[in-house]
Amino acid sequence: MLLLGIDIGTSSIKVAVVDSATQQVVTSAQFPDEESLITAIHPGWAEQSPEMWWEHVQQAFAICKASGKFNPRDISSIGIAYQMHGLVLVDKHQNLLRDSIIWCDSRAVDLGNAAFDALGHEFSLSHLLNSPGNFTASKLAWVKQNEPELYDTIDKIMLPGDFIAMKLTSQITTSISALSEGIFWDFQTNSLSAELMEYYGFSPSLIPEIKPVFAEHGRVSSAIAAQLGLKEGTPVTYKAGDQPNNALSLNVLEPGEVAATAGTSGVIYGVSDQLTYDDQSRVNTFAHVNYAEEQKRLGVLLCINGTGSLNRWTKNLFGAALSYGSMNAEAKKVKIGADGLRVLPFGNGAERMLNNRLVGVHFQNIDLNLHSQAHLFRGVQEGIAFSFRYGFDIMRANGMSPSVIRAGKANLFLSDLFLEAFVNSTGVPVELYENDGSVGAALGSGIGAKTFSTASEAFHNIKCLQVVEPTVTDAYESVYQEWLHLLNKQLNNKI
């Protein structure tokens, strides 16, 4: 049996076909080659077209089909991973009402902060495990306040993966994990938060039917089956946000286990069995893919909005003629600390771990007679690594102290320089694996369809490619403290 995984990323869509017997990839594809469009008509805004996602899913799947390596009718289940926190709105005919307000859009920060104060900090943190902040519920409140006529036509709200499942099956569902990432879920009552819904004036009818993450979320319709070449009735049996899904793909399911990614954004994601929260909601707690009321599994998530996106921006402006490998090689020629160049890498919207501040990217201490292209490359990667360290210290203060971090050998984790800076800044070894969000989604569908008897069975062939240990922590610690001083000055508005 074959499993189909779809990963709805911010930059592109990835699709993978996986053999359930071996857990090996039969074929995979990404579309488009260039980064997908993000619309920002005002500073701090970020929107994407869900119809664009759907078109790109079809294009990526068509590339897979064109390989001739599988029969689409042999696909037995479908799993979907997706960029978290985006808001998708449809009317009663399942027509899209507006572009999605995506995860890095900052327009709802003030609404979320007001809700945090009105609902009460203690209530929000103990029941929702987070401030309403800039999450999906607050984005919906922005639509209600600023686009009231459109709001009145909403039948259902969705996250990005729910929209793709709807296009495949014509059914709309959600999960506790999805509702928790939108800050709609009350973990004390194990139900939709009546207090939040009442405060924002949301009708419960806006919320789709709630299903487990690993469950049937609809079956492929006859029209879509004919269009894509799939078998009619193929079930969608898994839907999860990209970070819980990344953790799943690294077999991070039990308390104390930790995963990391450094793609467009950077994330450290640890699993806990406690209803834990940060007093300032700088790191966030959501229901993990295997959360159940009787066996709590929570994902504690640190997010840095602009990691790979800053590295790409730097390449485009200062190293357009170079490959990422060449850029990394140039950066390695510069010694630790980039001869005093420091970079604050916060230019992709309000940063949760900085109390929802819009800080921006700052290049500090540039010496026109000393610093070169290579210094910029190194300073950027060190700055990104230091932002992980800053957030990791918040996680440590909240009881998350892993002995190892698992990551996929992809994106910034392909850079030896970044790896060195990351492990020596945090002081924690990193295990690198061959992993991919679309493959994780495919295997998740196998768990949901009971192709695998347990989640661990789906990952019994996972192999560690490399272990990177900290070796020069003292050298990086002194540079980090200088970086931290500059960040604190910026946060205190002294620069």
Side-chain angles (χ1 to χ4, degrees):
M1 290 185 292
L2 301 180
L3 313 172
L4 175 63
I6 301 169
D7 184 8
I8 313 301
T10 310
S11 301
S12 65
I13 304 298
K14 295 179 182 178
V15 169
V17 178
V18 175
D19 185 330
S20 64
T22 64
Q23 296 93 58
Q24 299 303 303
V25 177
V26 176
T27 188
S28 64
Q30 177 176 316
F31 191 90
D33 292 331
E34 299 297 324
E35 293 202 1
S36 296
L37 176 68
I38 296 176
T39 303
I41 62 173
H42 296 292
W45 288 28
E47 298 185 3
Q48 285 188 321
S49 165
E51 292 292 355
M52 176 188 73
W53 302 332
W54 174 233
E55 176 60 29
H56 291 175
V57 167
Q58 295 173 80
Q59 295 281 1
F61 186 65
I63 295 169
C64 286
K65 280 204 304 181
S67 72
K69 294 180 179 179
F70 72 104
N71 182 343
R73 294 183 62 81
D74 290 338
I75 290 171
S76 60
S77 60
I78 301 170
I80 301 171
Y82 56 86
Q83 49 172 292
M84 296 172 72
H85 315 304
L87 175 66
V88 181
L89 306 172
V90 295
D91 65 16
K92 63 183 180 181
H93 303 295
Q94 298 189 354
N95 294 316
L96 187 67
L97 293 173
R98 70 176 329 279
D99 281 352
S100 174
I101 303 174
I102 65 171
W103 60 276
C104 54
D105 186 290
S106 304
R107 75 186 72 180
V109 168
D110 289 343
L111 287 170
N113 289 341
F116 194 30
D117 291 338
L119 292 169
H121 291 203
E122 192 281 330
F123 171 84
S124 295
L125 295 173
S126 62
H127 285 251
L128 309 175
L129 305 187
N130 304 281
S131 159
N134 192 38
F135 296 106
T136 316
S138 300
K139 289 174 166 65
L140 180 60
W142 184 92
V143 173
K144 184 172 185 284
Q145 182 178 100
N146 292 276
E147 299 173 351
E149 292 182 2
L150 183 148
Y151 179 86
D152 289 341
T153 66
I154 299 170
D155 179 60
K156 290 290 182 286
I157 67 168
M158 289 181 282
L159 294 165
D162 302 327
F163 177 79
I164 298 303
M166 183 198 79
K167 297 296 281 189
L168 288 165
T169 69
S170 298
Q171 291 184 241
I172 304 175
T173 67
T174 189
S175 67
I176 291 174
S177 182
L179 291 170
S180 75
E181 72 173 80
I183 320 300
F184 291 102
W185 194 254
D186 188 319
F187 284 91
Q188 299 294 341
T189 63
N190 207 47
S191 64
L192 198 63
S193 173
E195 288 84 354
L196 178 133
M197 298 293 283
E198 181 180 355
Y199 171 78
Y200 276 141
F202 299 155
S203 168
S205 66
L206 296 173
I207 305 299
E209 180 184 3
I210 301 171
K211 299 263 196 175
V213 168
F214 300 107
E216 186 177 305
H217 292 269
R219 290 178 172 265
V220 173
S221 67
S222 58
I224 295 300
Q227 181 180 328
L228 299 181
L230 297 168
K231 187 164 51 181
E232 180 182 351
T234 303
V236 174
T237 53
Y238 170 81
K239 287 190 303 183
D242 52 6
Q243 298 310 322
N245 178 71
N246 178 68
L248 171 76
S249 69
L250 291 165
N251 200 23
V252 170
L253 294 167
E254 297 305 322
E257 296 176 338
V258 174
T261 60
T264 301
S265 62
V267 168
I268 298 178
Y269 185 98
V271 180
S272 173
D273 57 0
Q274 304 296 315
L275 295 180
T276 185
Y277 55 85
D278 176 60
D279 287 341
Q280 299 178 49
S281 203
R282 295 165 298 174
V283 298
N284 303 104
T285 304
F286 310 116
H288 194 26
V289 293
N290 56 342
Y291 175 87
E293 186 177 8
E294 66 279 3
Q295 183 172 286
K296 292 178 173 57
R297 295 293 181 266
L298 289 305
V300 181
L301 187 153
L302 157 75
C303 181
I304 305 151
N305 289 353
T307 53
S309 59
L310 174 58
N311 202 44
R312 170 189 53 77
W313 181 89
T314 305
K315 178 182 182 299
N316 289 347
L317 265 65
F318 303 107
L322 299 175
S323 67
Y324 281 107
S326 298
M327 191 171 87
N328 295 338
E330 286 298 307
K332 286 180 69 175
K333 295 176 183 178
V334 176
K335 63 185 179 183
I336 294 170
D339 289 318
L341 179 64
R342 302 286 176 264
V343 180
L344 303 180
F346 304 112
N348 193 25
E351 294 284 355
R352 282 177 250 157
M353 73 173 185
L354 302 180
N355 300 107
N356 281 322
R357 294 280 297 277
L358 282 161
V359 174
V361 172
H362 296 263
F363 289 80
Q364 303 280 351
N365 306 332
I366 291 176
D367 185 327
L368 299 178
N369 299 311
L370 172 64
H371 292 135
S372 65
Q373 180 188 55
H375 286 89
L376 291 174
F377 297 157
R378 178 160 198 130
V380 163
Q381 292 197 28
E382 288 185 346
I384 294 168
F386 294 153
S387 67
F388 273 101
R389 158 67 187 277
Y390 182 90
F392 196 53
D393 283 350
I394 297 172
M395 295 184 77
R396 283 184 171 120
N398 282 276
M400 190 67 63
S401 298
S403 58
V404 68
I405 296 172
R406 297 178 194 167
K409 193 171 177 63
N411 302 313
L412 274 169
F413 282 107
L414 290 168
S415 167
D416 291 341
L417 185 155
F418 175 75
L419 268 166
E420 177 189 279
F422 182 95
V423 299
N424 285 287
S425 298
T426 61
V428 181
V430 169
E431 294 178 350
L432 293 173
Y433 294 84
E434 195 75 56
N435 92 309
D436 178 274
S438 59
V439 176
L443 294 172
S445 82
I447 299 169
K450 300 191 177 354
T451 302
F452 305 112
S453 58
T454 63
S456 59
E457 182 185 333
F459 298 96
H460 76 272
N461 282 331
I462 189 171
K463 292 182 176 61
C464 181
L465 301 176
Q466 182 184 1
V467 179
V468 182
E469 299 275 357
T471 55
V472 284
T473 53
D474 289 347
Y476 276 96
E477 182 64 22
S478 61
V479 180
Y480 171 72
Q481 291 301 327
E482 293 175 15
W483 179 93
L484 179 62
H485 176 69
L486 289 170
L487 175 60
N488 286 333
K489 285 177 68 178
Q490 181 63 37
L491 293 174
N492 291 327
N493 294 315
K494 291 181 179 178
I495 293 179

